[in-house]
Amino acid sequence: GQQVMQIPQYQHVQEGEDFTTYCNSSTTLSNIQWYKQRPGGHPVFLIQLVKSGEVKKQKRLTFQFGEAKKNSSLHITATQTTDVGTYFCAAPYNNNDMRFGAGTRLTVKP
Amino acid sequence: DAMVIQNPRYQVTQFGKPVTLSCSQTLNHNVMYWYQQKSSQAPKLLFHYYDKDFNNEADTPDNFQSRRPNTSFCFLDIRSPGLGDAAMYLCATSRDSLARGDEQYFGPGTRLTVT
């Protein structure tokens, strides 16, 4: 079935370093959403991108949606230990069939 | 204030013994979802209800059933749990269609252990 590919699977950084995770789809997406799941927790909605080429920022987090609406990225500037968790991109196929990327597990060394 | 509530948070059942997981929401959202999430994997959609309309994923085993008796409640029934069904089960809601831009609200999940 249709999938969203996400890389890398794991990322280990030193506190203060930057972090980026990428998602790619073979089909054009109506929108893409990003979620964060802390260890032992549940996914929490971060943001949604809808428009071609859209860029949104939340403090140290920058989200981008590609011009063709097939790829997206999340970039964290100057990571902190509170950023630890797994970041998932997710996109709806059909109306409510949400497909999640495999997730990128971020660990931050103090 | 909890908006999507799942009970119980932890459930232990025996191999082959039917089990029901419950979800309730205070958001009055039209859509309710059930996901299965195994360790270190992404959530996998099992099915969803748009109001009373049930939508099953093609690869969801027949062993998994769902009921939505009213807007607020949704149940996941596992008729004969196998060891491979041990996972976190996440309930989520959205006001309307995800394709139209609505976001999902997840409950805390129920961790199912099968002995």
Side-chain angles (χ1 to χ4, degrees):
Chain A
Q2 294 167 316
Q3 292 185 9
V4 178
M5 307 304 294
Q6 185 173 0
I7 58 169
Q9 190 174 0
Y10 302 97
Q11 186 78 58
H12 179 71
V13 300
Q14 190 79 33
E15 189 172 22
E17 293 181 339
D18 292 356
F19 159 77
T20 305
T21 174
Y22 302 89
C23 283
N24 208 26
S25 169
S26 58
T27 58
T28 302
L29 303 171
S30 60
N31 65 75
I32 194 162
Q33 303 183 5
W34 285 91
Y35 292 81
K36 177 182 179 181
Q37 186 172 21
R38 294 182 185 273
H42 59 276
V44 175
F45 176 82
L46 293 177
I47 209 159
Q48 177 186 243
L49 303 169
V50 179
K51 299 177 182 177
S52 169
E54 190 169 17
V55 178
K56 288 187 176 180
K57 293 190 175 184
Q58 289 179 350
K59 297 182 180 178
R60 295 177 293 104
L61 277 61
T62 302
F63 304 84
Q64 295 189 359
F65 202 11
E67 293 290 340
K69 299 182 68 172
K70 291 183 177 181
N71 60 284
S72 182
S73 64
L74 158 58
H75 180 81
I76 303 178
T77 303
T79 55
Q80 300 175 358
T81 55
T82 53
D83 294 326
V84 165
T86 301
Y87 293 85
F88 292 100
C89 61
Y93 290 88
N94 303 319
N95 280 330
N96 292 307
D97 183 359
M98 186 66 104
R99 301 292 173 92
F100 279 75
T104 298
R105 178 178 290 183
L106 173 64
T107 55
V108 180
K109 184 176 180 181
Chain B
D1 294 334
M3 296 182 290
V4 182
I5 304 159
Q6 289 189 246
N7 285 307
R9 295 291 309 277
Y10 301 90
Q11 176 76 57
V12 181
T13 191
Q14 293 178 336
F15 183 93
K17 185 176 181 180
V19 65
T20 295
L21 309 181
S22 71
C23 177
S24 64
Q25 54 130 340
T26 59
L27 298 162
N28 202 33
H29 281 177
N30 287 322
V31 195
M32 294 187 77
Y33 309 79
W34 279 105
Y35 288 88
Q36 179 192 65
Q37 186 176 28
K38 296 189 175 181
S39 181
S40 301
Q41 295 185 19
K44 181 182 180 300
L45 183 64
L46 297 173
F47 25 58
H48 74 273
Y49 273 95
Y50 188 103
D51 195 10
K52 296 179 181 179
D53 292 333
F54 178 70
N55 298 269
N56 197 30
E57 290 299 296
D59 56 356
T60 299
D62 292 340
N63 198 26
F64 292 87
Q65 303 287 321
S66 187
R67 296 170 284 133
R68 189 180 186 186
N70 54 53
T71 300
S72 301
F73 286 86
C74 196
F75 300 97
L76 170 61
D77 301 308
I78 308 177
R79 294 193 296 188
S80 182
L83 297 178
D85 296 327
M88 176 74 82
Y89 289 88
L90 294 161
C91 175
T93 73
S94 65
R95 185 179 59 84
D96 206 279
S97 165
L98 298 176
R100 294 179 187 172
D102 283 334
E103 66 188 75
Q104 286 187 309
Y105 295 80
F106 282 85
T110 294
R111 183 166 296 283
L112 178 68
T113 300
V114 182
T115 61

